[in-house]
């Protein structure tokens, strides 16, 4: 039996926050039936496991930006750090930073997308940085893309901002403030794409910006002429069109024998506490446990149509794109957001702002360490089992 898999089985009374430990050594064997390659790693359950999780400590990650450092920002509870994703049919391989770096030797891994993928990039940086001595690693936060470089292995782990994948008015050097209403060019992707071509691993996401409004502004003409001439198109219609632009570009420009391609499904948000039967709650603020009832399907307001369009487009592609189906497993994690423990305009929220989570809580991004580490464990499972 794999020593790392001694797990703690926990029963949480969802009605209130009382937690009762019902046993400590679950029989791990039932999970070992299948190989990771043959199992749906996205179907499973959250298991409280403070022996193996978190995979690193928040204050030990040299490169973690304070933006995601929830404990540093004053979050009082820490149970959110201790959950491990347990697929139903198999077990995930134990994350080993050195093993990953050896696999990535001489290669470039790039996350492309929005701030959720910036979260995941930061998580991966934290997951591997401890395996490398200080003189062998560096992060350039100012660049575009942002690059984490590991000299010893000649590896770069990069984040490329393109929240709509195609060109938009919120690309650099413009302001990428979440309050800006963007204008996009639905068929213009080559300018971004030229920066993706030489990556060995490309992991895309695009969701958060699409759901801000029922319609999306689509430019008529080019940005050289300004961004005031646009039409508004219903978001699902234009999302599908853009994803087809992306899919065609990938098919025509990526050498799929060299490059492994991934697409992360929608990262859910938690703004409606009635969704998990907490009438006294204010969005995700004050939540300290995941949704643990699995008897009912979860509905936390994720735009399932966007999810399905992405899944369908990817299924129809001529090249293999791995669909990282992280939506459902993340929907359980209502407590894993930064809530009011955030930096805004360079400063922590004031006590007065903190007391108004309805206005200030962030229930979109994720604490690090936290859920994005699990997404990276799933990505790791692919990378180490496929060569
Ligand atoms: C994604 O995972 C969920 C949970 O296991 C499953 O119900 C759904 O069918 C999956 N969707 C796709 C497109 O793989
Ligand atoms: C893990 O949880 C158990 C049960 O609450 C507790 O006794 C133990 O101290 C915890 N271990 C760590 C490393 O937090
Ligand atoms: C490092 O990796 C890049 C590809 O990412 C390659 O072009 C370069 O030759 C490598 N350098 C060394 C010193 O191995």
């Amino acid at each position: 039996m794999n020593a790392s898999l001694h797990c703690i089985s926990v029963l949480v009374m969802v009605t209130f926050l009382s937690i009762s430990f019902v046993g400590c050594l679950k029989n791990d064997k039932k999970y070992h039936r299948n190989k990771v390659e043959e199992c749906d790693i996205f179907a499973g359950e959250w298991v409280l496991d403070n022996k193996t999780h978190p995979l690193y400590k928040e204050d030990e990650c040299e490169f973690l930006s304070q933006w995601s450092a929830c404990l540093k920002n004053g979050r009082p509870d820490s149970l959110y750090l201790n959950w491990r994703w347990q697929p139903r049919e198999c077990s995930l391989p134990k994350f080993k930073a050195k093993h990953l770096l050896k696999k990535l030797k001489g290669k470039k891994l790039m996350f492309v997308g929005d701030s959720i993928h910036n979260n995941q990039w930061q998580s991966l940086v934290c997951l591997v940085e401890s395996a490398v001595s200080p003189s062998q690693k560096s992060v350039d936060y100012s660049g575009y893309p942002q690059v984490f470089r590991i000299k010893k292995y000649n590896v770069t782990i990069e984040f490329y901002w393109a929240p709509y994948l195609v060109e938009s008015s919120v690309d650099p050097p413009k302001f990428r403030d979440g309050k800006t209403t963007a204008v996009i060019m639905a068929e213009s992707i080559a300018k971004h794409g030229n920066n993706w071509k030489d990556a060995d691993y490309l992991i895309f996401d695009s969701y958060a910006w699409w759901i801000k409004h029922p319609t999306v502004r689509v430019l008529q003409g080019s940005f050289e002429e300004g961004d005031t001439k646009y039409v508004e198109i219903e978001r699902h219609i234009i999302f599908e069109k853009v994803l087809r632009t992306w899919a065609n570009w990938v098919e025509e420009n990526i050498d799929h024998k060299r490059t492994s391609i991934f697409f992360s499904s929608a990262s859910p948000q938690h703004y409606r506490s009635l969704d998990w039967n907490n009438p006294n709650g204010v969005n995700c603020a004050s939540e300290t446990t995941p949704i643990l009832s699995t008897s009912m399907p979860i509905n936390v307001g994720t735009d399932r149509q966007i999810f399905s369009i992405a899944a369908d487009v990817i299924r129809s592609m001529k090249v293999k794109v791995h669909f990282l189906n992280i939506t459902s497993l993340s929907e359980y994690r209502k407590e894993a957001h930064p809530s009011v423990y955030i930096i805004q305009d360079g400063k922590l929220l004031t006590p007065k702002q903190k007391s108004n989570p309805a206005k200030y809580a962030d229930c979109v991004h994720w604490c690090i360490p936290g859920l994005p580490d699990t997404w990276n464990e799933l990505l790791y499972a692919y990378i180490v089992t496929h060569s």
Side-chain angles (χ1 to χ4, degrees), residues 207-266:
Y207 173 72
W209 286 68
W210 293 98
I211 60 163
K212 286 171 187 258
H213 306 287
T215 59
V216 175
R217 296 176 177 178
V218 181
L219 191 71
Q220 307 289 286
S222 76
F223 283 125
E224 280 79 63
E225 301 150 28
D227 59 10
T228 49
K229 262 179 68 187
Y230 55 79
V231 290
E232 303 221 6
I233 301 184
E234 196 277 326
R235 71 184 189 213
H236 302 106
I237 292 174
I238 192 64
F239 178 72
E240 176 158 6
K241 182 169 181 181
V242 162
L243 223 56
R244 297 223 178 264
T245 298
W246 166 82
N248 290 338
W249 184 88
V250 165
E251 287 176 352
E252 284 162 24
N253 293 278
I254 298 294
D255 173 2
H256 69 276
K257 290 200 185 73
R258 169 184 171 184
T259 304
S260 305
I261 314 157
F262 300 83
F263 191 96
S264 305
S265 66

Side-chain angles (χ1 to χ4, degrees), residues 177-221:
D177 182 324
K179 291 170 204 127
T180 312
T181 302
V183 182
I184 70 165
M185 286 181 81
E187 292 172 75
S188 180
I189 198 166
K191 196 165 135 192
H192 285 323
N194 286 336
N195 300 290
W196 308 337
K197 280 183 183 168
D198 64 344
D200 301 277
Y201 294 89
L202 276 171
I203 306 109
F204 295 93
D205 87 325
S206 194
Y207 173 72
W209 286 68
W210 293 98
I211 60 163
K212 286 171 187 258
H213 306 287
T215 59
V216 175
R217 296 176 177 178
V218 181
L219 191 71
Q220 307 289 286

Side-chain angles (χ1 to χ4, degrees), residues 78-310:
S78 61
L79 196 66
Y80 71 94
L81 295 165
N82 298 129
W83 298 92
R84 176 170 60 75
W85 180 249
Q86 176 61 65
R88 201 177 296 136
E89 302 285 335
C90 62
S91 280
L92 294 174
K94 186 172 156 50
F95 189 96
K96 293 189 183 120
K98 283 216 165 101
H99 185 53
L100 180 64
L101 289 172
K102 280 181 195 148
K103 270 279 201 214
L104 297 181
K105 196 166 183 147
K107 293 185 173 162
K108 181 198 277 197
L109 181 150
M110 189 185 252
F111 291 100
V112 176
D114 55 28
S115 54
I116 298 295
H117 253 182
N118 192 14
N119 259 179
Q120 195 176 349
W121 171 79
Q122 281 205 17
S123 152
L124 192 58
V125 169
C126 288
L127 281 165
V128 300
E129 67 98 26
S130 65
V132 189
S133 63
S135 64
Q136 295 294 318
K137 60 190 175 188
S138 61
V139 166
D140 182 359
Y141 264 107
S142 62
Y144 182 45
Q146 271 169 212
V147 179
F148 173 50
R149 185 169 274 109
I150 305 134
K151 249 202 280 179
K152 184 173 173 195
Y153 294 88
N154 190 23
V155 170
T156 62
I157 297 177
E158 313 192 8
F159 166 66
Y160 188 97
W161 170 261
Y164 292 94
L165 302 175
V166 292
E167 265 184 72
S168 81
S169 62
V170 291
D171 296 339
K174 287 266 177 66
F175 203 41
R176 25 164 130 159
D177 182 324
K179 291 170 204 127
T180 312
T181 302
V183 182
I184 70 165
M185 286 181 81
E187 292 172 75
S188 180
I189 198 166
K191 196 165 135 192
H192 285 323
N194 286 336
N195 300 290
W196 308 337
K197 280 183 183 168
D198 64 344
D200 301 277
Y201 294 89
L202 276 171
I203 306 109
F204 295 93
D205 87 325
S206 194
Y207 173 72
W209 286 68
W210 293 98
I211 60 163
K212 286 171 187 258
H213 306 287
T215 59
V216 175
R217 296 176 177 178
V218 181
L219 191 71
Q220 307 289 286
S222 76
F223 283 125
E224 280 79 63
E225 301 150 28
D227 59 10
T228 49
K229 262 179 68 187
Y230 55 79
V231 290
E232 303 221 6
I233 301 184
E234 196 277 326
R235 71 184 189 213
H236 302 106
I237 292 174
I238 192 64
F239 178 72
E240 176 158 6
K241 182 169 181 181
V242 162
L243 223 56
R244 297 223 178 264
T245 298
W246 166 82
N248 290 338
W249 184 88
V250 165
E251 287 176 352
E252 284 162 24
N253 293 278
I254 298 294
D255 173 2
H256 69 276
K257 290 200 185 73
R258 169 184 171 184
T259 304
S260 305
I261 314 157
F262 300 83
F263 191 96
S264 305
S265 66
S267 167
Q269 308 180 357
H270 293 88
Y271 279 105
R272 311 182 313 198
S273 70
L274 279 177
D275 290 343
W276 49 91
N277 301 319
N278 183 2
N280 303 318
V282 179
N283 54 50
C284 68
S286 314
E287 297 293 339
T288 54
T289 55
I291 299 170
L292 290 158
S293 151
T294 46
S295 55
M296 264 181 5
I298 296 186
N299 176 4
V300 294
T302 308
D303 188 328
R304 286 276 159 190
Q305 214 179 324
I306 295 231
F307 176 95
S308 304
I309 292 167

